[in-house]
Amino acid sequence: MTHEDGSQSFSSYGSMTYAAVKSLIYAGLKKDDPRIQEALQWIRGHWTVIENPGMATPLSEDRGQMGYYYYLAVLTRTLELLGDPTITDTEGHQHHWAQEVAQVLLQRQRADGSWANEVDRWWEGDPVLATSYALQALNICYKQLEE
């Protein structure tokens, strides 16, 4: 968005917020770093496993599915790195993220065992790519649920 003064701002969305947190952790930052804490606050306020939050618009709600399988793959990898089996949203509800992700993925699995995104952005309509993201997420969920 371009503001009256010419400055620009960009909206946040789930997959890139998780990717940023993951990258900051890999760069050596700790969970208590203010940048990570601010991103985690955004995540808590936008917690969902049914869409890539921040992508949908009032005129195009199906945009929330854009990058969905990548979103779940990066969400699980990031939350695994953070080491907490639950996340508490800003309304105080505790979520067992591995269980929630696994449930939604199993519900979306196609009859042939694959996954594909109906909203084909970033090649996620290709079952090979969407399935690889889904399996990455499920592998992490499996390890979390096993513990």
Side-chain angles (χ1 to χ4, degrees):
M1 166 192 286
T2 302
H3 304 281
E4 287 182 17
D5 66 359
S7 65
Q8 291 187 326
S9 63
F10 302 94
S11 60
S12 298
Y13 59 98
S15 55
M16 288 301 103
T17 302
Y18 282 100
V21 171
K22 178 177 61 80
S23 296
L24 291 171
I25 292 169
Y26 285 153
L29 277 68
K30 304 296 181 211
K31 283 195 306 188
D32 61 352
D33 184 277
R35 292 162 288 193
I36 291 178
Q37 285 302 307
E38 189 169 328
L40 290 175
Q41 188 60 28
W42 187 92
I43 287 167
R44 288 184 198 98
H46 296 85
W47 174 257
T48 183
V49 296
I50 61 170
E51 70 175 2
N52 188 352
M55 292 296 293
T57 67
L59 298 176
S60 184
E61 290 186 24
D62 65 334
R63 284 178 50 91
Q65 296 305 306
M66 290 170 44
Y68 176 73
Y69 291 101
Y70 173 75
Y71 166 68
L72 292 181
V74 72
L75 175 154
T76 55
R77 190 171 299 117
T78 303
L79 294 178
E80 177 187 43
L81 280 171
L82 290 170
D84 193 342
T86 63
I87 186 165
T88 304
D89 65 29
T90 54
E91 294 180 3
H93 300 108
Q94 190 175 47
H95 300 272
H96 294 273
W97 57 265
Q99 185 176 20
E100 290 183 23
V101 170
Q103 285 174 336
V104 75
L105 281 171
L106 293 176
Q107 291 168 356
R108 292 184 182 214
Q109 189 175 22
R110 295 163 41 167
D112 68 357
S114 69
W115 286 265
N117 196 332
E118 299 289 322
V119 181
D120 188 13
R121 178 73 188 266
W122 301 306
W123 290 46
E124 283 199 356
D126 180 346
V128 174
L129 182 62
T131 299
S132 68
Y133 288 150
L135 291 175
Q136 288 175 41
L138 281 172
N139 185 50
I140 292 168
C141 291
Y142 178 75
K143 289 189 290 185
Q144 292 294 313
L145 294 171
E146 197 175 48
E147 293 176 357

